[in-house]
């Protein structure tokens, strides 16, 4: 049966209390509910038992096809008459038809598991709804009917408005498209303002948003990140029994709100002020990964995580100067992006790329163990019970690539050189820097060019050594050359001094 949409103790089931009685007087709705009930039954069996006899699949598929065809025929008849076209029953019938049957059960891998170990996967039966195949043309028709009705608030059948919002949000997640139905809460309102839902948090909301904005992120991303952090803390408290809300509908509201906002973020191509932060699209994709894997956990059979990992891999292209990274550039955001992307890519060919780049980045920082990496990751959304195991596996894999940059002299000893780092603005905007004391990018945008202390010292050293007169070996090593031939440095290394 179609499950209740408010999974809290003592909550009424709108299916039994309202939908079924209405369907007894509406043939289109009755057939649509029957179709949805059989779909839910079969999906539930496949998700939980991991295997179902082929005969059962074929038998149910035949019944599903019959129910869907009959429901669609009767719904079309109702939509052709003005008196029944935009009734609550007609809208609810179309809602039940927003999932496809063809290839929905056969040919899909029901034995897989998500790389994240997210809790509360069954809230609002997300583990079942997320395993269904969306029928987007029927959903487009549903959205038009809701608009003609005047919005979700005008639908009076109990539970129908929430069901419409929730099902379309799930379908948008499966197809990675922008939600077409506005937010609607378990409490019957459509207020999607962040502060309205986090008003009881005091100054924690504003403080968290400001922290992410100080890292160079635009306001929209900062709000989503802080929403993730606060919801993750709520889930952590709920799982551990610390100040947990008695009504899980509150968790559902916050979860749906946060996921709705991240799904509503415009793509990098559509972002109006992309010049402000060129890493916007990479952050958006990483937020989608975290939301789909942890906040709004879609089961593996329908999860878009592999696709998102591939998109993030292409966004974080090889042109990004990972070998020049410092934590100060973005407060560790790049480390979080690579870790989240690497976890999502666990079962894909992109996995080794993320592990290798993560190894490169951590080798340039003070991160030397999984414990120190985890401490850095917790500055961003990171739910321990969902992410720790997957993150530690990625860390162990990255260590196989981890070798600090060095050069070998003629006697085989290894020495480490100081790298010239790009300025803070170029690193934050993820663009190439000419590493001059006033780089061209900062001059072009009328910005004050700033470097870390280590970079300034290195610049001063290189600028005062007369590098134009240095030998080729000293220029390559980026060390002081006395300009003699042979120079003192080459004599110590016992190598040929060349100009």
């Amino acid at each position: 049966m179609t499950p209740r949409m408010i999974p809290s103790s003592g909550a009424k089931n709108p299916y039994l209390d309202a939908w079924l009685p209405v369907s007894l007087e509406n043939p289109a709705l009755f057939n649509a509910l029957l179709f949805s009930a059989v779909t839910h039954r079969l999906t539930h069996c496949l998700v939980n038992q991991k295997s179902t006899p082929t005969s059962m699949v074929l038998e149910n598929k035949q019944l599903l096809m019959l129910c869907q065809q009959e429901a669609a025929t009767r719904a079309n008849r109702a939509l052709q008459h003005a008196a029944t076209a935009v009734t609550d029953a007609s809208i609810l019938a179309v809602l039940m038809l927003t999932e496809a049957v063809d290839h929905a059960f056969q040919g899909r891998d029901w034995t897989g598991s998500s790389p994240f170990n997210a809790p509360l996967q069954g809230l609002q039966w997300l583990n079942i709804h997320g395993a269904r195949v969306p029928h987007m043309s029927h959903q487009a028709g549903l959205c038009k009917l809701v608009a003609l009705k005047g919005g979700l608030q005008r639908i009076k059948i109990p539970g129908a408005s929430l069901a419409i919002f929730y099902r379309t949000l799930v379908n948008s997640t499966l197809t990675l498209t922008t939600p077409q139905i506005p937010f609607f809460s378990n409490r019957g309102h459509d207020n999607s303002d962040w502060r309205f839902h986090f008003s009881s948090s005091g100054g924690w909301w504003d403080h968290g948003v400001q922290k992410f904005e100080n890292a160079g992120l635009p306001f929209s991303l900062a709000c989503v990140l802080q929403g993730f952090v606060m919801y993750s803390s709520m889930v952590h408290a709920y799982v551990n029994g610390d100040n947990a809300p008695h009504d899980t509908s509150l968790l559902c509201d916050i979860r749906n709100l946060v996921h709705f906002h991240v799904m509503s973020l415009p793509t990098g191509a559509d972002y109006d002020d992309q010049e402000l932060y060129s890493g916007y699209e990479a952050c958006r994709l990483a937020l989608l990964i975290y939301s789909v894997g942890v906040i709004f956990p879609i089961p593996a059979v329908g999860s878009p995580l592999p696709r998102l990992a591939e998109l993030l891999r292409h966004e974080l292209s090889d042109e990004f100067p990972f070998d020049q990274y410092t934590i100060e550039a973005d407060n560790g955001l790049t480390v979080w992006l690579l870790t989240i992307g690497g976890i999502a890519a666990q079962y894909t060919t992109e996995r080794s790329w993320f592990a290798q780049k993560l190894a490169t980045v951590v080798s340039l920082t003070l991160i030397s163990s999984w414990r120190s990496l985890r401490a850095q990751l917790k500055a961003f959304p990171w739910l321990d019970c969902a992410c720790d195991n997957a993150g530690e596996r990625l860390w162990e894999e990255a260590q196989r690539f981890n070798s600090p940059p060095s050069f070998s002299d003629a006697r085989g000893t290894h020495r480490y050189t100081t790298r010239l780092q790009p300025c803070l603005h170029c690193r934050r905007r993820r663009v190439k820097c000419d590493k001059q004391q006033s780089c061209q990018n900062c001059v072009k945008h009328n910005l004050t060019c700033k470097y870390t202390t280590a970079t300034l010292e290195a610049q001063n050293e290189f600028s005062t050594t007369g590098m134009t007169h240095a030998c080729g070996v000293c220029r390559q090593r980026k060390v002081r050359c006395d300009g003699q031939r042979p120079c003192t440095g080459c004599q110590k290394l016992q190598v040929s001094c060349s100009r």
Side-chain angles (χ1 to χ4, degrees):
M1 294 176 61
T2 298
R4 64 174 183 262
M5 303 306 295
I6 307 176
S8 57
S9 59
K12 294 184 178 181
N13 189 333
Y15 182 96
L16 295 176
D17 296 342
W19 300 0
L20 186 58
V22 173
S23 71
L24 296 178
E25 301 177 358
N26 189 297
L29 178 57
F30 182 84
N31 282 274
L33 287 176
L34 180 60
F35 165 74
S36 180
V38 177
T39 304
H40 182 271
R41 172 177 174 267
L42 183 56
T43 305
H44 185 276
C45 182
L46 290 167
V47 167
N48 290 280
Q49 297 183 7
K50 302 299 183 183
S51 63
T52 301
T54 304
S55 59
M56 179 181 175
V57 174
L58 293 176
E59 178 185 352
N60 280 273
K61 184 176 180 180
Q62 292 173 355
L63 178 60
L64 284 171
M65 295 292 290
L66 180 62
C67 291
Q68 185 185 43
Q69 183 178 3
E70 183 67 19
T73 300
R74 292 183 178 275
N76 285 329
R77 291 175 184 172
L79 295 175
Q80 291 174 0
H81 297 83
T84 58
V86 199
T87 62
D88 289 1
S90 297
I91 294 175
L92 195 56
V94 176
L95 169 65
M96 297 297 109
L97 297 175
T98 55
E99 52 188 292
V101 177
D102 296 339
H103 311 294
F105 301 107
Q106 290 179 296
R108 304 178 75 194
D109 182 13
W110 295 88
T111 61
S113 59
S114 172
F116 296 94
N117 186 28
L120 307 178
Q121 298 181 29
L123 275 185
Q124 292 181 289
W125 296 85
L126 181 57
N127 58 331
I128 306 301
H129 289 294
R132 295 176 172 182
V133 177
H135 197 306
M136 298 308 291
S137 60
H138 286 177
Q139 177 166 308
L142 172 66
C143 295
K144 291 181 180 179
L145 288 176
V146 172
L148 290 173
K149 183 72 174 181
L152 295 178
Q153 293 284 7
R154 301 290 297 274
I155 299 175
K156 302 305 180 183
I157 294 183
S161 296
L162 176 61
I164 292 170
F165 159 71
Y166 181 65
R167 181 69 67 83
T168 54
L169 180 63
V170 173
N171 287 354
S172 297
T173 305
L174 295 173
T175 56
L176 296 180
T177 54
T178 304
Q180 300 299 310
I181 295 292
F183 173 80
F184 198 86
S185 77
N186 284 278
R187 289 164 172 74
H189 66 78
D190 56 1
N191 193 331
S192 61
D193 182 70
W194 289 108
R195 287 187 174 85
F196 176 82
H197 291 268
F198 291 111
S199 58
S200 60
S201 64
W204 284 107
W205 170 258
D206 294 328
H207 174 75
V209 172
Q210 185 64 45
K211 179 188 71 172
F212 290 120
E213 283 190 294
N214 291 340
L217 296 174
F219 180 73
S220 58
L221 290 182
C223 287
V224 171
L225 277 165
Q226 182 60 15
F228 279 0
V229 170
M230 298 190 71
Y231 176 74
S232 296
S233 65
M234 292 175 62
V235 172
H236 179 79
Y238 180 82
V239 171
N240 291 278
D242 303 329
N243 300 322
H246 297 290
D247 188 357
T248 52
S249 63
L250 174 62
L251 282 175
C252 292
D253 272 350
I254 301 299
R255 180 199 65 179
N256 295 343
L257 172 77
V258 172
H259 186 65
F260 172 78
H261 275 290
V262 72
M263 289 298 301
S264 301
L265 288 172
T267 64
D270 299 330
Y271 191 59
D272 295 334
D273 195 12
Q274 193 175 1
E275 181 65 20
L276 175 66
Y277 185 69
S278 58
Y280 171 87
E281 182 64 8
C283 288
R284 187 187 74 89
L285 292 171
L287 290 171
L288 279 172
I289 289 174
Y290 187 82
S291 193
V292 170
V294 179
I295 302 295
F296 201 80
I298 298 294
V301 66
S303 177
L305 284 178
R307 174 59 177 161
L308 289 171
E310 180 184 2
L311 292 173
L312 182 58
R313 155 70 175 88
H314 288 297
E315 193 64 31
L316 294 173
S317 63
D318 291 329
E319 297 180 0
F320 180 79
F322 289 104
D323 58 345
Q324 301 175 359
Y325 177 75
T326 61
I327 289 289
E328 295 83 359
D330 57 7
N331 295 326
L333 177 61
T334 297
V335 176
W336 184 77
L337 294 177
L338 290 172
T339 304
I340 291 297
I343 294 175
Q346 179 170 331
Y347 306 115
T348 71
T349 57
E350 313 291 341
R351 172 78 167 194
S352 60
W353 183 90
F354 281 101
Q356 185 175 7
K357 296 305 179 184
L358 179 63
T360 301
V361 166
V362 298
S363 68
L364 300 173
T365 67
L366 297 177
I367 299 174
S368 58
S369 65
W370 161 243
R371 184 176 180 180
S372 57
L373 174 62
R374 181 176 177 271
Q376 180 63 48
L377 294 171
K378 288 181 72 66
F380 298 90
W382 187 266
L383 185 59
D384 296 348
C385 61
C387 304
D388 275 0
N389 290 337
E392 188 170 7
R393 286 194 297 269
L394 178 65
W395 165 261
E396 293 172 353
E397 187 174 335
Q399 293 311 291
R400 295 199 291 268
F401 298 97
N402 202 356
S403 56
S406 65
F407 72 91
S408 178
D409 60 23
R411 293 170 294 182
T413 59
H414 292 274
R415 302 187 181 186
Y416 299 92
T417 61
T418 302
R419 293 176 179 269
L420 278 178
Q421 303 291 342
C423 73
L424 295 177
H425 287 295
C426 289
R427 275 182 285 174
R428 183 172 297 170
R429 296 174 58 236
R430 299 173 186 268
V431 296
K432 288 189 176 181
C433 179
D434 58 19
K435 303 175 186 178
Q436 301 299 317
Q437 291 191 356
S438 292
C439 74
Q440 291 300 317
N441 290 327
C442 290
V443 172
K444 177 181 177 181
H445 294 90
N446 196 24
L447 298 172
T448 302
C449 195
K450 297 181 180 180
Y451 290 87
T452 61
T453 303
T455 303
L456 288 174
E457 292 175 352
Q459 282 182 331
N460 292 333
E461 178 184 352
F462 298 144
S463 63
T464 58
T465 56
M467 291 298 291
T468 56
H469 302 289
C471 70
V473 176
C474 290
R475 282 200 299 270
Q476 183 177 4
R477 295 173 57 207
K478 296 182 179 179
V479 297
R480 185 185 300 274
C481 181
D482 58 14
Q484 303 298 320
R485 185 168 184 173
C487 70
T488 304
C490 290
Q491 288 179 355
K492 289 182 178 180
L493 293 176
Q494 299 180 5
V495 296
S496 176
C497 184
S498 60
R499 297 296 171 183

